[in-house]
Amino acid sequence: MKRIHIILFAALCVVSTSCKHEKKNNMTYRPLGNTGLMVSEISIGCGGFEKIDSATSLELMTMALDSGMNYIDIYDANPKTRSNIGYALQGRRNEMIIQGHIGTIFKDGQHCRTRNVEEAKQGFEDLLARLHTDHIEVGMIHITDSHEEWDELEGSPFLDYVFQLKKEGKIKHIGVSSHNAEVALRAAKCGWIEVIMFSLNPAFDRLRGGAIPWEEGAMDNLQAGIDPVRVEFYDYCATHHIGVTVMKTFGGGGRLLDEKSSPLGVAYTPEQCIAYCLAKPCISTCILGIDNIEELKADLHWLQASDAEKDYTNFEKRETTKACETCTYCNHCSPCSTGIPIAKVNELLDKAEKDGLTPELQAKYDSLPHHAGECTHCGACLSRCPFDVDIPTQMNRAKEIFGK
Ligand code: SF4
Ligand code: SF4
């Protein structure tokens, strides 16, 4: 009897692999490119773990794992984020596939991107130690957004270090994260990248400013109106089995979920955003920024959502009504030369401008270690922002509203 079960299970696995997706309970698992890993189609981002305590981290992680989520992205070098995740994963490490970033470090109280080998080493060893593990599944080269950055990466000592990590088994697969479709396409074609973390949602798929008008009948073509380089990137990854994990599924900071902030002028639901991304065959998982238990519960509604709830096509004729050059609170512009936590300032500024300045917002702003008024307009942060946000102008506006 036991043997029959084993044969049936093996047959099921073969069938599942051949039809690509597997389903357990309500969660669907997709292949992560050619890595041999099957990943839950919705997964966890690390950002929220900085904002909660270890007990809540454990509660959040337990709910995520029990719901079938098996993938997490950890880009943040903040020790609190990493320690909270490490604490929450103890005893269940083997149930989670970890995509951890190489080239991030926490320096002078700020998260920093680095290509210095010694710093990268320190940052990566810290990640392993805080996660209580001796390896991670995907070693993600943190943010390569320009052709110059890609050129610098190839043949660099930093890349040698990444290959060394793979040889030592400290990372099982090499990935790279990028917001730039041209660079992501180069990465996909390089021959040694297995996973790409890419920013994707209905707004980012439009050319900036909605330059390509929608045509009648375009509804039948999911790729109509999308930047052709992005289309090429998606097609290449699908046909060459490069795993693509999605960042900024909800537009970055949840912008698409609110009509007032949505670049498409209409509020999407989490289910519509997720369905939009997963409609592309190359996508392995949508990484969701989750700040608290309530948000996780809301995102997990995906598992029960009806087809009608997932249907986003009514909105698909929309052109961008606002420029996409808005802050997504991603922190990639850090470090600021005077220590301003730019992403946090922008987040509080947006809230104050949208709903009005409240004593609570002011108190949160006051508690920041440095304030917008300290901006010297040095411009050091500008080239690091993938979304071309005019950061010094944002700092001016924040100073005006918050008074310092
Ligand atoms: S321009 Fe302002 S916010 Fe940007 S790095 Fe310089 S001081 Fe910091
Ligand atoms: S200013 Fe740009 S890089 Fe900085 S947090 Fe906002 S979107 Fe990210």
mmCIF file with all atom_site columns, all heavy atoms in Angstrom, residues 202 249-250 256-258 266-276 299 301 305 308-312 315:
data_model
loop_
_atom_site.group_PDB
_atom_site.id
_atom_site.type_symbol
_atom_site.label_atom_id
_atom_site.label_alt_id
_atom_site.label_comp_id
_atom_site.label_asym_id
_atom_site.label_entity_id
_atom_site.label_seq_id
_atom_site.pdbx_PDB_ins_code
_atom_site.Cartn_x
_atom_site.Cartn_y
_atom_site.Cartn_z
_atom_site.occupancy
_atom_site.B_iso_or_equiv
_atom_site.pdbx_formal_charge
_atom_site.auth_seq_id
_atom_site.auth_comp_id
_atom_site.auth_asym_id
_atom_site.auth_atom_id
_atom_site.pdbx_PDB_model_num
ATOM 1   N N   . PRO A 1 202 ? 0.831   47.261 -13.084 1.00 0.00 ? 202 PRO A N   1
ATOM 2   C CA  . PRO A 1 202 ? 0.172   47.824 -14.260 1.00 0.00 ? 202 PRO A CA  1
ATOM 3   C C   . PRO A 1 202 ? 0.665   49.238 -14.616 1.00 0.00 ? 202 PRO A C   1
ATOM 4   O O   . PRO A 1 202 ? 0.683   49.602 -15.801 1.00 0.00 ? 202 PRO A O   1
ATOM 5   C CB  . PRO A 1 202 ? -1.302  47.882 -13.845 1.00 0.00 ? 202 PRO A CB  1
ATOM 6   C CG  . PRO A 1 202 ? -1.441  46.856 -12.782 1.00 0.00 ? 202 PRO A CG  1
ATOM 7   C CD  . PRO A 1 202 ? -0.132  46.817 -12.061 1.00 0.00 ? 202 PRO A CD  1
ATOM 8   N N   . THR A 1 249 ? 4.829   45.207 -6.508  1.00 0.00 ? 249 THR A N   1
ATOM 9   C CA  . THR A 1 249 ? 3.601   44.650 -7.075  1.00 0.00 ? 249 THR A CA  1
ATOM 10  C C   . THR A 1 249 ? 2.437   45.636 -6.985  1.00 0.00 ? 249 THR A C   1
ATOM 11  O O   . THR A 1 249 ? 1.591   45.704 -7.876  1.00 0.00 ? 249 THR A O   1
ATOM 12  C CB  . THR A 1 249 ? 3.221   43.357 -6.298  1.00 0.00 ? 249 THR A CB  1
ATOM 13  O OG1 . THR A 1 249 ? 4.369   42.511 -6.232  1.00 0.00 ? 249 THR A OG1 1
ATOM 14  C CG2 . THR A 1 249 ? 2.074   42.624 -6.957  1.00 0.00 ? 249 THR A CG2 1
ATOM 15  N N   . PHE A 1 250 ? 2.368   46.387 -5.873  1.00 0.00 ? 250 PHE A N   1
ATOM 16  C CA  . PHE A 1 250 ? 1.259   47.326 -5.671  1.00 0.00 ? 250 PHE A CA  1
ATOM 17  C C   . PHE A 1 250 ? 1.645   48.757 -6.056  1.00 0.00 ? 250 PHE A C   1
ATOM 18  O O   . PHE A 1 250 ? 1.043   49.724 -5.588  1.00 0.00 ? 250 PHE A O   1
ATOM 19  C CB  . PHE A 1 250 ? 0.786   47.296 -4.211  1.00 0.00 ? 250 PHE A CB  1
ATOM 20  C CG  . PHE A 1 250 ? 0.342   45.938 -3.737  1.00 0.00 ? 250 PHE A CG  1
ATOM 21  C CD1 . PHE A 1 250 ? 0.548   45.536 -2.430  1.00 0.00 ? 250 PHE A CD1 1
ATOM 22  C CD2 . PHE A 1 250 ? -0.289  45.057 -4.606  1.00 0.00 ? 250 PHE A CD2 1
ATOM 23  C CE1 . PHE A 1 250 ? 0.141   44.288 -1.982  1.00 0.00 ? 250 PHE A CE1 1
ATOM 24  C CE2 . PHE A 1 250 ? -0.699  43.794 -4.177  1.00 0.00 ? 250 PHE A CE2 1
ATOM 25  C CZ  . PHE A 1 250 ? -0.483  43.406 -2.862  1.00 0.00 ? 250 PHE A CZ  1
ATOM 26  N N   . LEU A 1 256 ? -0.820  52.019 -5.983  1.00 0.00 ? 256 LEU A N   1
ATOM 27  C CA  . LEU A 1 256 ? -1.905  51.635 -6.894  1.00 0.00 ? 256 LEU A CA  1
ATOM 28  C C   . LEU A 1 256 ? -3.204  51.301 -6.162  1.00 0.00 ? 256 LEU A C   1
ATOM 29  O O   . LEU A 1 256 ? -4.256  51.207 -6.772  1.00 0.00 ? 256 LEU A O   1
ATOM 30  C CB  . LEU A 1 256 ? -1.471  50.416 -7.715  1.00 0.00 ? 256 LEU A CB  1
ATOM 31  C CG  . LEU A 1 256 ? -0.763  50.736 -9.038  1.00 0.00 ? 256 LEU A CG  1
ATOM 32  C CD1 . LEU A 1 256 ? -0.085  49.494 -9.587  1.00 0.00 ? 256 LEU A CD1 1
ATOM 33  C CD2 . LEU A 1 256 ? -1.736  51.298 -10.057 1.00 0.00 ? 256 LEU A CD2 1
ATOM 34  N N   . LEU A 1 257 ? -3.116  51.118 -4.839  1.00 0.00 ? 257 LEU A N   1
ATOM 35  C CA  . LEU A 1 257 ? -4.296  50.691 -4.092  1.00 0.00 ? 257 LEU A CA  1
ATOM 36  C C   . LEU A 1 257 ? -5.166  51.872 -3.669  1.00 0.00 ? 257 LEU A C   1
ATOM 37  O O   . LEU A 1 257 ? -6.220  51.687 -3.070  1.00 0.00 ? 257 LEU A O   1
ATOM 38  C CB  . LEU A 1 257 ? -3.870  49.887 -2.847  1.00 0.00 ? 257 LEU A CB  1
ATOM 39  C CG  . LEU A 1 257 ? -2.914  48.712 -3.105  1.00 0.00 ? 257 LEU A CG  1
ATOM 40  C CD1 . LEU A 1 257 ? -2.576  47.991 -1.810  1.00 0.00 ? 257 LEU A CD1 1
ATOM 41  C CD2 . LEU A 1 257 ? -3.511  47.734 -4.108  1.00 0.00 ? 257 LEU A CD2 1
ATOM 42  N N   . ASP A 1 258 ? -4.719  53.068 -3.959  1.00 0.00 ? 258 ASP A N   1
ATOM 43  C CA  . ASP A 1 258 ? -5.440  54.274 -3.535  1.00 0.00 ? 258 ASP A CA  1
ATOM 44  C C   . ASP A 1 258 ? -5.627  55.187 -4.750  1.00 0.00 ? 258 ASP A C   1
ATOM 45  O O   . ASP A 1 258 ? -4.653  55.551 -5.410  1.00 0.00 ? 258 ASP A O   1
ATOM 46  C CB  . ASP A 1 258 ? -4.613  54.980 -2.450  1.00 0.00 ? 258 ASP A CB  1
ATOM 47  C CG  . ASP A 1 258 ? -5.360  56.145 -1.827  1.00 0.00 ? 258 ASP A CG  1
ATOM 48  O OD1 . ASP A 1 258 ? -6.172  56.786 -2.535  1.00 0.00 ? 258 ASP A OD1 1
ATOM 49  O OD2 . ASP A 1 258 ? -5.124  56.422 -0.639  1.00 0.00 ? 258 ASP A OD2 1
ATOM 50  N N   . VAL A 1 266 ? -6.910  55.398 -10.741 1.00 0.00 ? 266 VAL A N   1
ATOM 51  C CA  . VAL A 1 266 ? -7.962  54.527 -10.241 1.00 0.00 ? 266 VAL A CA  1
ATOM 52  C C   . VAL A 1 266 ? -7.335  53.559 -9.244  1.00 0.00 ? 266 VAL A C   1
ATOM 53  O O   . VAL A 1 266 ? -6.172  53.181 -9.385  1.00 0.00 ? 266 VAL A O   1
ATOM 54  C CB  . VAL A 1 266 ? -8.628  53.777 -11.426 1.00 0.00 ? 266 VAL A CB  1
ATOM 55  C CG1 . VAL A 1 266 ? -7.666  52.813 -12.089 1.00 0.00 ? 266 VAL A CG1 1
ATOM 56  C CG2 . VAL A 1 266 ? -9.882  53.062 -11.002 1.00 0.00 ? 266 VAL A CG2 1
ATOM 57  N N   . ALA A 1 267 ? -8.107  53.183 -8.225  1.00 0.00 ? 267 ALA A N   1
ATOM 58  C CA  . ALA A 1 267 ? -7.565  52.266 -7.216  1.00 0.00 ? 267 ALA A CA  1
ATOM 59  C C   . ALA A 1 267 ? -7.709  50.826 -7.678  1.00 0.00 ? 267 ALA A C   1
ATOM 60  O O   . ALA A 1 267 ? -8.800  50.377 -8.021  1.00 0.00 ? 267 ALA A O   1
ATOM 61  C CB  . ALA A 1 267 ? -8.301  52.458 -5.894  1.00 0.00 ? 267 ALA A CB  1
ATOM 62  N N   . TYR A 1 268 ? -6.594  50.125 -7.725  1.00 0.00 ? 268 TYR A N   1
ATOM 63  C CA  . TYR A 1 268 ? -6.619  48.676 -7.959  1.00 0.00 ? 268 TYR A CA  1
ATOM 64  C C   . TYR A 1 268 ? -6.775  47.993 -6.605  1.00 0.00 ? 268 TYR A C   1
ATOM 65  O O   . TYR A 1 268 ? -6.465  48.577 -5.565  1.00 0.00 ? 268 TYR A O   1
ATOM 66  C CB  . TYR A 1 268 ? -5.290  48.218 -8.563  1.00 0.00 ? 268 TYR A CB  1
ATOM 67  C CG  . TYR A 1 268 ? -5.175  48.338 -10.077 1.00 0.00 ? 268 TYR A CG  1
ATOM 68  C CD1 . TYR A 1 268 ? -5.241  49.567 -10.705 1.00 0.00 ? 268 TYR A CD1 1
ATOM 69  C CD2 . TYR A 1 268 ? -4.991  47.205 -10.860 1.00 0.00 ? 268 TYR A CD2 1
ATOM 70  C CE1 . TYR A 1 268 ? -5.131  49.672 -12.084 1.00 0.00 ? 268 TYR A CE1 1
ATOM 71  C CE2 . TYR A 1 268 ? -4.872  47.299 -12.232 1.00 0.00 ? 268 TYR A CE2 1
ATOM 72  C CZ  . TYR A 1 268 ? -4.943  48.532 -12.845 1.00 0.00 ? 268 TYR A CZ  1
ATOM 73  O OH  . TYR A 1 268 ? -4.834  48.625 -14.199 1.00 0.00 ? 268 TYR A OH  1
ATOM 74  N N   . THR A 1 269 ? -7.211  46.743 -6.632  1.00 0.00 ? 269 THR A N   1
ATOM 75  C CA  . THR A 1 269 ? -7.198  45.931 -5.408  1.00 0.00 ? 269 THR A CA  1
ATOM 76  C C   . THR A 1 269 ? -5.905  45.102 -5.427  1.00 0.00 ? 269 THR A C   1
ATOM 77  O O   . THR A 1 269 ? -5.304  44.907 -6.493  1.00 0.00 ? 269 THR A O   1
ATOM 78  C CB  . THR A 1 269 ? -8.394  44.966 -5.365  1.00 0.00 ? 269 THR A CB  1
ATOM 79  O OG1 . THR A 1 269 ? -8.272  44.047 -6.459  1.00 0.00 ? 269 THR A OG1 1
ATOM 80  C CG2 . THR A 1 269 ? -9.711  45.711 -5.463  1.00 0.00 ? 269 THR A CG2 1
ATOM 81  N N   . PRO A 1 270 ? -5.500  44.572 -4.245  1.00 0.00 ? 270 PRO A N   1
ATOM 82  C CA  . PRO A 1 270 ? -4.315  43.697 -4.253  1.00 0.00 ? 270 PRO A CA  1
ATOM 83  C C   . PRO A 1 270 ? -4.478  42.533 -5.231  1.00 0.00 ? 270 PRO A C   1
ATOM 84  O O   . PRO A 1 270 ? -3.543  42.171 -5.943  1.00 0.00 ? 270 PRO A O   1
ATOM 85  C CB  . PRO A 1 270 ? -4.242  43.196 -2.809  1.00 0.00 ? 270 PRO A CB  1
ATOM 86  C CG  . PRO A 1 270 ? -4.897  44.272 -2.004  1.00 0.00 ? 270 PRO A CG  1
ATOM 87  C CD  . PRO A 1 270 ? -5.982  44.824 -2.877  1.00 0.00 ? 270 PRO A CD  1
ATOM 88  N N   . GLU A 1 271 ? -5.711  41.970 -5.290  1.00 0.00 ? 271 GLU A N   1
ATOM 89  C CA  . GLU A 1 271 ? -5.917  40.809 -6.172  1.00 0.00 ? 271 GLU A CA  1
ATOM 90  C C   . GLU A 1 271 ? -5.704  41.189 -7.635  1.00 0.00 ? 271 GLU A C   1
ATOM 91  O O   . GLU A 1 271 ? -5.161  40.420 -8.422  1.00 0.00 ? 271 GLU A O   1
ATOM 92  C CB  . GLU A 1 271 ? -7.348  40.249 -6.022  1.00 0.00 ? 271 GLU A CB  1
ATOM 93  C CG  . GLU A 1 271 ? -7.656  39.663 -4.666  1.00 0.00 ? 271 GLU A CG  1
ATOM 94  C CD  . GLU A 1 271 ? -7.953  40.729 -3.620  1.00 0.00 ? 271 GLU A CD  1
ATOM 95  O OE1 . GLU A 1 271 ? -8.690  41.681 -3.933  1.00 0.00 ? 271 GLU A OE1 1
ATOM 96  O OE2 . GLU A 1 271 ? -7.427  40.625 -2.504  1.00 0.00 ? 271 GLU A OE2 1
ATOM 97  N N   . GLN A 1 272 ? -6.162  42.376 -8.018  1.00 0.00 ? 272 GLN A N   1
ATOM 98  C CA  . GLN A 1 272 ? -5.997  42.801 -9.415  1.00 0.00 ? 272 GLN A CA  1
ATOM 99  C C   . GLN A 1 272 ? -4.521  43.010 -9.756  1.00 0.00 ? 272 GLN A C   1
ATOM 100 O O   . GLN A 1 272 ? -4.067  42.640 -10.835 1.00 0.00 ? 272 GLN A O   1
ATOM 101 C CB  . GLN A 1 272 ? -6.797  44.085 -9.668  1.00 0.00 ? 272 GLN A CB  1
ATOM 102 C CG  . GLN A 1 272 ? -8.300  43.837 -9.699  1.00 0.00 ? 272 GLN A CG  1
ATOM 103 C CD  . GLN A 1 272 ? -9.096  45.132 -9.691  1.00 0.00 ? 272 GLN A CD  1
ATOM 104 O OE1 . GLN A 1 272 ? -8.716  46.107 -9.036  1.00 0.00 ? 272 GLN A OE1 1
ATOM 105 N NE2 . GLN A 1 272 ? -10.208 45.150 -10.400 1.00 0.00 ? 272 GLN A NE2 1
ATOM 106 N N   . CYS A 1 273 ? -3.779  43.613 -8.817  1.00 0.00 ? 273 CYS A N   1
ATOM 107 C CA  . CYS A 1 273 ? -2.339  43.820 -9.065  1.00 0.00 ? 273 CYS A CA  1
ATOM 108 C C   . CYS A 1 273 ? -1.624  42.478 -9.206  1.00 0.00 ? 273 CYS A C   1
ATOM 109 O O   . CYS A 1 273 ? -0.806  42.286 -10.116 1.00 0.00 ? 273 CYS A O   1
ATOM 110 C CB  . CYS A 1 273 ? -1.693  44.585 -7.903  1.00 0.00 ? 273 CYS A CB  1
ATOM 111 S SG  . CYS A 1 273 ? -2.231  46.281 -7.761  1.00 0.00 ? 273 CYS A SG  1
ATOM 112 N N   . ILE A 1 274 ? -1.934  41.559 -8.297  1.00 0.00 ? 274 ILE A N   1
ATOM 113 C CA  . ILE A 1 274 ? -1.265  40.250 -8.328  1.00 0.00 ? 274 ILE A CA  1
ATOM 114 C C   . ILE A 1 274 ? -1.630  39.516 -9.623  1.00 0.00 ? 274 ILE A C   1
ATOM 115 O O   . ILE A 1 274 ? -0.763  38.965 -10.312 1.00 0.00 ? 274 ILE A O   1
ATOM 116 C CB  . ILE A 1 274 ? -1.657  39.407 -7.089  1.00 0.00 ? 274 ILE A CB  1
ATOM 117 C CG1 . ILE A 1 274 ? -1.136  40.074 -5.812  1.00 0.00 ? 274 ILE A CG1 1
ATOM 118 C CG2 . ILE A 1 274 ? -1.129  37.983 -7.201  1.00 0.00 ? 274 ILE A CG2 1
ATOM 119 C CD1 . ILE A 1 274 ? -1.738  39.521 -4.515  1.00 0.00 ? 274 ILE A CD1 1
ATOM 120 N N   . ALA A 1 275 ? -2.922  39.534 -9.949  1.00 0.00 ? 275 ALA A N   1
ATOM 121 C CA  . ALA A 1 275 ? -3.373  38.825 -11.166 1.00 0.00 ? 275 ALA A CA  1
ATOM 122 C C   . ALA A 1 275 ? -2.695  39.412 -12.399 1.00 0.00 ? 275 ALA A C   1
ATOM 123 O O   . ALA A 1 275 ? -2.310  38.676 -13.320 1.00 0.00 ? 275 ALA A O   1
ATOM 124 C CB  . ALA A 1 275 ? -4.889  38.926 -11.289 1.00 0.00 ? 275 ALA A CB  1
ATOM 125 N N   . TYR A 1 276 ? -2.542  40.724 -12.417 1.00 0.00 ? 276 TYR A N   1
ATOM 126 C CA  . TYR A 1 276 ? -1.893  41.379 -13.562 1.00 0.00 ? 276 TYR A CA  1
ATOM 127 C C   . TYR A 1 276 ? -0.474  40.830 -13.755 1.00 0.00 ? 276 TYR A C   1
ATOM 128 O O   . TYR A 1 276 ? -0.065  40.477 -14.856 1.00 0.00 ? 276 TYR A O   1
ATOM 129 C CB  . TYR A 1 276 ? -1.842  42.896 -13.337 1.00 0.00 ? 276 TYR A CB  1
ATOM 130 C CG  . TYR A 1 276 ? -1.148  43.619 -14.466 1.00 0.00 ? 276 TYR A CG  1
ATOM 131 C CD1 . TYR A 1 276 ? -1.867  44.054 -15.573 1.00 0.00 ? 276 TYR A CD1 1
ATOM 132 C CD2 . TYR A 1 276 ? 0.230   43.831 -14.440 1.00 0.00 ? 276 TYR A CD2 1
ATOM 133 C CE1 . TYR A 1 276 ? -1.229  44.686 -16.637 1.00 0.00 ? 276 TYR A CE1 1
ATOM 134 C CE2 . TYR A 1 276 ? 0.873   44.458 -15.492 1.00 0.00 ? 276 TYR A CE2 1
ATOM 135 C CZ  . TYR A 1 276 ? 0.139   44.893 -16.581 1.00 0.00 ? 276 TYR A CZ  1
ATOM 136 O OH  . TYR A 1 276 ? 0.781   45.500 -17.631 1.00 0.00 ? 276 TYR A OH  1
ATOM 137 N N   . ASP A 1 299 ? -3.811  40.474 2.016   1.00 0.00 ? 299 ASP A N   1
ATOM 138 C CA  . ASP A 1 299 ? -3.124  39.917 0.840   1.00 0.00 ? 299 ASP A CA  1
ATOM 139 C C   . ASP A 1 299 ? -3.470  38.443 0.640   1.00 0.00 ? 299 ASP A C   1
ATOM 140 O O   . ASP A 1 299 ? -3.552  37.959 -0.484  1.00 0.00 ? 299 ASP A O   1
ATOM 141 C CB  . ASP A 1 299 ? -1.610  40.086 0.975   1.00 0.00 ? 299 ASP A CB  1
ATOM 142 C CG  . ASP A 1 299 ? -1.203  41.558 0.894   1.00 0.00 ? 299 ASP A CG  1
ATOM 143 O OD1 . ASP A 1 299 ? -2.036  42.369 0.461   1.00 0.00 ? 299 ASP A OD1 1
ATOM 144 O OD2 . ASP A 1 299 ? -0.074  41.871 1.286   1.00 0.00 ? 299 ASP A OD2 1
ATOM 145 N N   . HIS A 1 301 ? -6.172  37.108 1.021   1.00 0.00 ? 301 HIS A N   1
ATOM 146 C CA  . HIS A 1 301 ? -7.490  36.947 0.385   1.00 0.00 ? 301 HIS A CA  1
ATOM 147 C C   . HIS A 1 301 ? -7.326  36.440 -1.052  1.00 0.00 ? 301 HIS A C   1
ATOM 148 O O   . HIS A 1 301 ? -8.239  35.833 -1.618  1.00 0.00 ? 301 HIS A O   1
ATOM 149 C CB  . HIS A 1 301 ? -8.266  38.269 0.407   1.00 0.00 ? 301 HIS A CB  1
ATOM 150 C CG  . HIS A 1 301 ? -9.607  38.150 -0.259  1.00 0.00 ? 301 HIS A CG  1
ATOM 151 N ND1 . HIS A 1 301 ? -10.609 37.351 0.241   1.00 0.00 ? 301 HIS A ND1 1
ATOM 152 C CD2 . HIS A 1 301 ? -10.091 38.680 -1.424  1.00 0.00 ? 301 HIS A CD2 1
ATOM 153 C CE1 . HIS A 1 301 ? -11.657 37.397 -0.570  1.00 0.00 ? 301 HIS A CE1 1
ATOM 154 N NE2 . HIS A 1 301 ? -11.362 38.191 -1.587  1.00 0.00 ? 301 HIS A NE2 1
ATOM 155 N N   . ALA A 1 305 ? -9.863  34.443 -3.627  1.00 0.00 ? 305 ALA A N   1
ATOM 156 C CA  . ALA A 1 305 ? -10.496 35.444 -4.496  1.00 0.00 ? 305 ALA A CA  1
ATOM 157 C C   . ALA A 1 305 ? -11.141 34.794 -5.723  1.00 0.00 ? 305 ALA A C   1
ATOM 158 O O   . ALA A 1 305 ? -10.608 33.837 -6.284  1.00 0.00 ? 305 ALA A O   1
ATOM 159 C CB  . ALA A 1 305 ? -9.455  36.474 -4.926  1.00 0.00 ? 305 ALA A CB  1
ATOM 160 N N   . ALA A 1 308 ? -13.818 37.084 -10.716 1.00 0.00 ? 308 ALA A N   1
ATOM 161 C CA  . ALA A 1 308 ? -14.323 38.459 -10.882 1.00 0.00 ? 308 ALA A CA  1
ATOM 162 C C   . ALA A 1 308 ? -13.484 39.435 -10.050 1.00 0.00 ? 308 ALA A C   1
ATOM 163 O O   . ALA A 1 308 ? -13.175 40.540 -10.497 1.00 0.00 ? 308 ALA A O   1
ATOM 164 C CB  . ALA A 1 308 ? -15.785 38.522 -10.454 1.00 0.00 ? 308 ALA A CB  1
ATOM 165 N N   . GLU A 1 309 ? -13.091 38.998 -8.849  1.00 0.00 ? 309 GLU A N   1
ATOM 166 C CA  . GLU A 1 309 ? -12.272 39.879 -7.997  1.00 0.00 ? 309 GLU A CA  1
ATOM 167 C C   . GLU A 1 309 ? -10.877 40.092 -8.583  1.00 0.00 ? 309 GLU A C   1
ATOM 168 O O   . GLU A 1 309 ? -10.246 41.119 -8.365  1.00 0.00 ? 309 GLU A O   1
ATOM 169 C CB  . GLU A 1 309 ? -12.141 39.289 -6.589  1.00 0.00 ? 309 GLU A CB  1
ATOM 170 C CG  . GLU A 1 309 ? -13.406 39.401 -5.757  1.00 0.00 ? 309 GLU A CG  1
ATOM 171 C CD  . GLU A 1 309 ? -13.257 38.699 -4.409  1.00 0.00 ? 309 GLU A CD  1
ATOM 172 O OE1 . GLU A 1 309 ? -13.072 37.459 -4.405  1.00 0.00 ? 309 GLU A OE1 1
ATOM 173 O OE2 . GLU A 1 309 ? -13.332 39.382 -3.384  1.00 0.00 ? 309 GLU A OE2 1
ATOM 174 N N   . LYS A 1 310 ? -10.385 39.101 -9.319  1.00 0.00 ? 310 LYS A N   1
ATOM 175 C CA  . LYS A 1 310 ? -9.043  39.209 -9.896  1.00 0.00 ? 310 LYS A CA  1
ATOM 176 C C   . LYS A 1 310 ? -9.026  39.961 -11.231 1.00 0.00 ? 310 LYS A C   1
ATOM 177 O O   . LYS A 1 310 ? -7.968  40.302 -11.739 1.00 0.00 ? 310 LYS A O   1
ATOM 178 C CB  . LYS A 1 310 ? -8.464  37.802 -10.122 1.00 0.00 ? 310 LYS A CB  1
ATOM 179 C CG  . LYS A 1 310 ? -8.197  37.023 -8.853  1.00 0.00 ? 310 LYS A CG  1
ATOM 180 C CD  . LYS A 1 310 ? -7.744  35.609 -9.179  1.00 0.00 ? 310 LYS A CD  1
ATOM 181 C CE  . LYS A 1 310 ? -7.491  34.813 -7.906  1.00 0.00 ? 310 LYS A CE  1
ATOM 182 N NZ  . LYS A 1 310 ? -7.148  33.415 -8.180  1.00 0.00 ? 310 LYS A NZ  1
ATOM 183 N N   . ASP A 1 311 ? -10.199 40.179 -11.781 1.00 0.00 ? 311 ASP A N   1
ATOM 184 C CA  . ASP A 1 311 ? -10.280 40.759 -13.131 1.00 0.00 ? 311 ASP A CA  1
ATOM 185 C C   . ASP A 1 311 ? -9.865  42.230 -13.115 1.00 0.00 ? 311 ASP A C   1
ATOM 186 O O   . ASP A 1 311 ? -10.503 43.059 -12.479 1.00 0.00 ? 311 ASP A O   1
ATOM 187 C CB  . ASP A 1 311 ? -11.720 40.630 -13.636 1.00 0.00 ? 311 ASP A CB  1
ATOM 188 C CG  . ASP A 1 311 ? -11.859 41.108 -15.069 1.00 0.00 ? 311 ASP A CG  1
ATOM 189 O OD1 . ASP A 1 311 ? -10.828 41.505 -15.675 1.00 0.00 ? 311 ASP A OD1 1
ATOM 190 O OD2 . ASP A 1 311 ? -12.994 41.113 -15.576 1.00 0.00 ? 311 ASP A OD2 1
ATOM 191 N N   . TYR A 1 312 ? -8.794  42.536 -13.804 1.00 0.00 ? 312 TYR A N   1
ATOM 192 C CA  . TYR A 1 312 ? -8.284  43.912 -13.859 1.00 0.00 ? 312 TYR A CA  1
ATOM 193 C C   . TYR A 1 312 ? -8.522  44.551 -15.221 1.00 0.00 ? 312 TYR A C   1
ATOM 194 O O   . TYR A 1 312 ? -8.133  45.683 -15.457 1.00 0.00 ? 312 TYR A O   1
ATOM 195 C CB  . TYR A 1 312 ? -6.771  43.922 -13.568 1.00 0.00 ? 312 TYR A CB  1
ATOM 196 C CG  . TYR A 1 312 ? -6.001  42.982 -14.463 1.00 0.00 ? 312 TYR A CG  1
ATOM 197 C CD1 . TYR A 1 312 ? -5.609  43.366 -15.740 1.00 0.00 ? 312 TYR A CD1 1
ATOM 198 C CD2 . TYR A 1 312 ? -5.725  41.681 -14.047 1.00 0.00 ? 312 TYR A CD2 1
ATOM 199 C CE1 . TYR A 1 312 ? -4.948  42.471 -16.575 1.00 0.00 ? 312 TYR A CE1 1
ATOM 200 C CE2 . TYR A 1 312 ? -5.067  40.799 -14.871 1.00 0.00 ? 312 TYR A CE2 1
ATOM 201 C CZ  . TYR A 1 312 ? -4.677  41.189 -16.136 1.00 0.00 ? 312 TYR A CZ  1
ATOM 202 O OH  . TYR A 1 312 ? -4.045  40.319 -16.965 1.00 0.00 ? 312 TYR A OH  1
ATOM 203 N N   . PHE A 1 315 ? -9.709  48.172 -16.208 1.00 0.00 ? 315 PHE A N   1
ATOM 204 C CA  . PHE A 1 315 ? -8.820  49.323 -16.038 1.00 0.00 ? 315 PHE A CA  1
ATOM 205 C C   . PHE A 1 315 ? -7.765  49.405 -17.122 1.00 0.00 ? 315 PHE A C   1
ATOM 206 O O   . PHE A 1 315 ? -6.996  50.353 -17.178 1.00 0.00 ? 315 PHE A O   1
ATOM 207 C CB  . PHE A 1 315 ? -8.081  49.228 -14.691 1.00 0.00 ? 315 PHE A CB  1
ATOM 208 C CG  . PHE A 1 315 ? -8.998  49.276 -13.508 1.00 0.00 ? 315 PHE A CG  1
ATOM 209 C CD1 . PHE A 1 315 ? -8.618  48.704 -12.312 1.00 0.00 ? 315 PHE A CD1 1
ATOM 210 C CD2 . PHE A 1 315 ? -10.227 49.909 -13.591 1.00 0.00 ? 315 PHE A CD2 1
ATOM 211 C CE1 . PHE A 1 315 ? -9.446  48.749 -11.212 1.00 0.00 ? 315 PHE A CE1 1
ATOM 212 C CE2 . PHE A 1 315 ? -11.055 49.960 -12.492 1.00 0.00 ? 315 PHE A CE2 1
ATOM 213 C CZ  . PHE A 1 315 ? -10.673 49.378 -11.299 1.00 0.00 ? 315 PHE A CZ  1
#
